[in-house]
Amino acid sequence: MSQIKPEIRSRAEAWLTDVFDEETKNEIHNLLENNPKELEESFYKNLEFGTGGMRGIMGVGTNRINKYTLGKNTQGLADFLKKEFTGEQPKAAIAYDCRNNSKELAKVVAEVFSANGVEVYLFSDLRPTPELSFAVKYLDCHCGIVLTASHNPPEYNGYKVYWQDGGQLVPPQDKQVVDLINSLEYSEVNFDAKQELIHEIDTEIDKAFSKASVKNGSFHTSASAKENLGIIFTSLHGTSITLVPGVLEKAGFTNVNVVQEQKEPDGNFPTVKSPNPEEPEALKMALDLAKEKSADIVIGTDPDCDRLGIAVPDLNGEMILLNGNQTMLVMTWFLLEQWKKENKLKGNEFVASTIVSTPMLKNIVESYNVEYHEVLTGFKWIAKLIKDHPELDFIGGGEESFGYMVGDFVRDKDAVTSTLLACEIAAKMKEEGSSFYKKLLELYTEYGLYREELISLVKKGIEGEQEIKQMLIDLRENPWQEIDGEKVVLIEDYQSSTARNLQDHTEENIDLPKSNVLIYYTEGGTKIAARPSGTEPKIKFYISVNADLDKVNNHEKVNQELADKVSRIKKELQIG
């Protein structure tokens, strides 16, 4: 008992009032008596909005995902909608993924909205996140919510907020909404649902979204090329099973094998350690099936179907996993080529990516005389670019963390349409006697061979949070001067919005919102970014190195040299 800090005890005991249900109160009594450490983790702070909305471990407490924390979010959002759209009937669309409790939590969100006079369109069953983004615009809603924690472990869930344009909540509305939420007491949350304001949605939106996906992801590939492409697909127990196989079939891809053991949606993700297509282990079953079927491409999506991982045969016919940067490079090149062939490049188009993604993308985009825009991490910033620049046509965009968006009919990363796009590219390349992988190597010979690596250091709990803060403070107060024998020439600090040139000792302003990100550039073209994850207890380091590649056959040699360079950097900076 004496181990519990007074402020933690006070916050926990506030949850023992009649505002909260008996089950919640019983659990808090249990924590008070038997688990002070867990009690502290549950109550030491309020859950905060990060790059992908709000994510957290499910359980009781202010720092957990539960009906009360999400109810409070929704109450604040409902209050904001009524202030922002005076005289209108506010409308909200709600979707949820395969995670444990997602359906029940989505129902709570719907009930709180309806209790506050907001008309609700609730999907009847689990759906991919990009379909929610689409539904917000399709149904002319003021906002949208999706209950998901993307690829986080099974104990997590989350709450992502979308706005009228189908993009996630961004400034200035995000701060206004968060301030409103923080000003509320739990006793002010209205859970008294008005069922007449809650409408179930399903097949109409599915059909409209599938049709739009096929339209945006198809590029005049011949029927025979589509039929000749052997595809292995896994939903990793997630929502993509509801749409991706059907979209591929509608687009004419008939040779699709789904990994049956991972087909059923399941929030416990029983066949994988992590349902993250960035992790090679997650795609093992799909790769085994690909070998058995002699497939041409393997695609796996994360639980809410906004990210995709791809494997394709290398020059020796062995399946190789591509990283998010590599997939993005080939997809963007392909889209630019198609727009060029169709004479659609008029000088007002743009492609977007993030500050921690590969610098190589800029080289490709600008070679087509298309504008390249860089934003902070998170697709909400790409969606904001589209919204802020209606005079420009958005071709596509992506980020290193395995997300891609084709066109602007959806305003978030979209693994449904991107899966179709990947298959279109693979089919066309195969028909032309090339391959997805060979095209990537050819791009390297044209624009330089870039090798990227992400290092994620997990730092859990209160102590971990402090450790991450201190690491970034140290990097600011004692910046690296040299990396692998190369002088650091530029340091970008997105928290102070300054870019400091160490050669001529000048400073420039960074015209992006403030964010806790540091990026180092060396005289040899090495780039290293450091940032805390906005959705997980991690600090992330993004390393990018590059070299010239004179011909495809030298790829392995030069790539190994770059791999060795990355290893030296990790050891030198003690981040590996």
Side-chain angles (χ1 to χ4, degrees):
M1 298 283 276
S2 58
Q3 298 174 50
I4 301 171
K5 295 173 185 173
E7 64 270 25
I8 299 294
R9 179 179 288 281
S10 175
R11 294 187 77 166
E13 286 178 347
W15 280 49
L16 295 174
T17 65
D18 289 341
V19 170
F20 301 90
D21 61 39
E22 289 304 314
E23 189 180 346
T24 297
K25 288 189 275 190
N26 288 338
E27 180 57 28
I28 288 166
H29 278 301
N30 180 45
L31 292 177
L32 279 163
E33 291 167 19
N34 302 313
N35 199 339
K37 175 71 175 166
E38 178 58 27
L39 185 82
E40 186 175 8
E41 293 284 357
S42 300
F43 280 99
Y44 83 95
K45 67 171 185 175
N46 293 330
L47 270 183
E48 297 168 355
F49 279 85
T51 48
M54 178 180 278
R55 286 186 213 168
I57 294 168
M58 290 178 279
V60 299
T62 58
N63 187 35
R64 294 289 184 256
I65 294 286
N66 52 64
K67 68 176 284 189
Y68 298 104
T69 52
L70 296 194
K72 192 176 170 188
N73 281 358
T74 309
Q75 182 67 51
L77 188 53
D79 291 347
F80 183 77
L81 289 173
K82 287 188 282 188
K83 282 183 183 177
E84 188 82 348
F85 303 105
T86 311
E88 296 182 45
Q89 169 59 58
K91 296 193 292 185
I94 303 172
Y96 56 92
D97 70 3
C98 60
R99 286 183 174 269
N100 298 325
N101 303 316
S102 279
K103 187 167 190 170
E104 293 77 11
L105 291 170
K107 188 168 179 281
V108 168
V109 172
E111 288 172 348
V112 174
F113 268 139
S114 72
N116 287 278
V118 176
E119 196 163 1
V120 175
Y121 295 89
L122 174 65
F123 276 99
S124 60
D125 208 341
L126 75 175
R127 290 295 189 283
T129 288
E131 188 173 0
L132 183 277
S133 170
F134 176 84
V136 170
K137 289 172 70 182
Y138 183 84
L139 295 168
D140 198 24
C141 289
H142 297 87
C143 75
I145 304 291
V146 62
L147 280 298
T148 177
S150 188
H151 57 273
N152 282 47
E155 63 270 22
Y156 280 76
N157 215 316
Y159 182 95
K160 286 171 79 171
V161 183
Y162 291 77
W163 213 235
Q164 285 176 294
D165 63 325
Q168 286 181 59
L169 197 62
V170 291
Q173 287 91 354
D174 58 353
K175 187 179 184 303
Q176 294 166 357
V177 170
V178 170
D179 287 348
L180 249 178
I181 292 167
N182 290 340
S183 71
L184 289 171
E185 299 294 333
Y186 285 102
S187 57
E188 296 176 83
V189 181
N190 187 352
F191 288 101
D192 192 11
K194 293 176 183 169
Q195 294 298 337
E196 67 274 13
L197 289 178
I198 302 175
H199 316 290
E200 269 201 356
I201 51 175
D202 43 42
T203 53
E204 181 193 343
I205 310 297
D206 294 341
K207 286 175 183 173
F209 177 72
S210 296
K211 185 178 178 183
S213 183
V214 171
K215 180 185 174 187
N216 282 271
S218 298
F219 294 91
H220 313 295
T221 303
S222 70
S224 60
K226 291 177 181 180
E227 289 164 9
N228 286 336
L229 188 76
I231 302 165
I232 304 295
F233 176 73
T234 178
S235 58
L236 296 178
H237 304 290
T239 59
S240 61
I241 199 67
T242 63
L243 276 183
V244 170
V247 163
L248 289 174
E249 189 180 349
K250 283 185 180 73
F253 289 93
T254 54
N255 188 4
V256 181
N257 284 280
V258 175
V259 178
Q260 294 299 313
E261 299 92 333
Q262 297 175 328
K263 184 178 178 180
E264 286 302 311
D266 188 333
N268 295 316
F269 313 113
T271 65
V272 291
K273 278 186 182 175
S274 168
N276 186 354
E278 294 180 58
E279 304 285 345
E281 198 178 343
L283 295 183
K284 185 180 184 306
M285 283 187 170
L287 290 166
D288 289 345
L289 186 59
K291 196 169 185 180
E292 181 190 320
K293 301 284 185 182
S294 301
D296 298 299
I297 190 167
V298 167
I299 300 177
T301 54
D302 67 346
D304 68 328
C305 190
D306 58 1
R307 300 168 195 252
L308 75 165
I310 292 175
V312 290
D314 65 11
L315 298 182
N316 301 314
E318 295 294 319
M319 277 291 174
I320 185 168
L321 289 161
L322 302 181
N323 63 42
N325 282 310
Q326 292 171 320
T327 298
M328 172 173 62
L329 291 169
V330 178
M331 285 183 169
T332 304
W333 161 80
F334 183 81
L335 290 176
L336 289 165
E337 271 295 299
Q338 300 313 305
W339 279 59
K340 183 180 176 183
K341 284 176 184 172
E342 294 171 23
N343 295 314
K344 287 165 63 180
L345 295 179
K346 309 296 183 188
N348 65 329
E349 298 81 22
F350 79 101
V351 166
S353 189
T354 66
I355 57 174
V356 297
S357 298
T358 178
M360 181 177 165
L361 187 67
K362 184 174 190 273
N363 302 346
I364 296 176
V365 173
E366 291 183 347
S367 73
Y368 284 82
N369 295 316
V370 168
E371 287 185 31
Y372 174 75
H373 291 263
E374 220 164 62
V375 294
L376 296 177
T377 307
F379 261 76
K380 62 185 179 184
W381 301 111
I382 296 179
K384 188 176 189 299
L385 269 182
I386 297 169
K387 183 182 177 183
D388 291 347
H389 294 281
E391 76 282 4
L392 298 178
D393 286 337
F394 178 71
I395 293 174
E399 59 182 0
E400 53 73 41
S401 58
F402 289 62
Y404 202 83
M405 185 162 77
V406 187
D408 66 355
F409 78 106
V410 167
R411 299 291 174 90
D412 202 356
K413 51 187 178 282
D414 169 15
V416 179
T417 315
S418 298
T419 294
L420 174 56
L421 175 62
C423 293
E424 287 272 329
I425 297 168
K428 269 190 189 289
M429 294 296 100
K430 184 180 180 184
E431 186 179 47
E432 293 170 9
S434 182
S435 70
F436 199 111
Y437 186 69
K438 190 174 182 186
K439 187 67 234 179
L440 175 65
L441 299 191
E442 287 169 357
L443 292 174
Y444 285 150
T445 62
E446 193 171 348
Y447 300 100
L449 173 53
Y450 283 72
R451 183 181 176 94
E452 276 84 23
E453 194 162 325
L454 167 64
I455 297 97
S456 293
L457 305 181
V458 178
K459 307 283 183 182
K460 290 185 178 179
I462 302 168
E463 291 171 7
E465 193 174 310
Q466 288 305 315
E467 203 176 333
I468 289 170
K469 280 182 185 174
Q470 191 58 49
M471 287 173 82
L472 282 153
I473 288 169
D474 291 344
L475 278 173
R476 286 188 168 91
E477 293 180 351
N478 304 293
W480 298 319
Q481 300 295 318
E482 194 175 279
I483 298 168
D484 194 38
E486 299 170 9
K487 286 180 184 173
V488 174
V489 294
L490 181 68
I491 301 175
E492 293 176 340
D493 187 341
Y494 288 80
Q495 192 156 273
S496 62
S497 301
T498 55
R500 188 157 50 98
N501 189 312
L502 303 188
Q503 291 180 305
D504 58 17
H505 307 290
T506 57
E507 272 194 13
E508 286 186 16
N509 186 57
I510 296 172
D511 190 23
L512 285 176
K514 289 183 185 297
S515 185
N516 192 8
V517 184
L518 276 170
I519 304 182
Y520 289 77
Y521 298 87
T522 74
E523 59 189 347
T526 295
K527 172 185 172 185
I528 301 179
R531 62 177 280 268
S533 170
T535 52
E536 298 173 275
K538 292 178 178 177
I539 182 168
K540 295 185 172 185
F541 294 92
Y542 305 78
I543 300 174
S544 176
V545 295
N546 66 86
D548 290 336
L549 181 66
D550 59 349
K551 55 186 177 182
V552 166
N553 289 347
N554 285 340
H555 169 259
E556 281 189 28
K557 176 177 173 288
V558 179
N559 191 48
Q560 186 57 53
E561 289 168 2
L562 291 178
D564 294 342
K565 184 180 179 72
V566 170
S567 294
R568 290 195 304 271
I569 290 171
K570 284 157 62 176
K571 188 175 180 182
E572 179 188 335
L573 304 181
Q574 299 180 322
I575 57 176

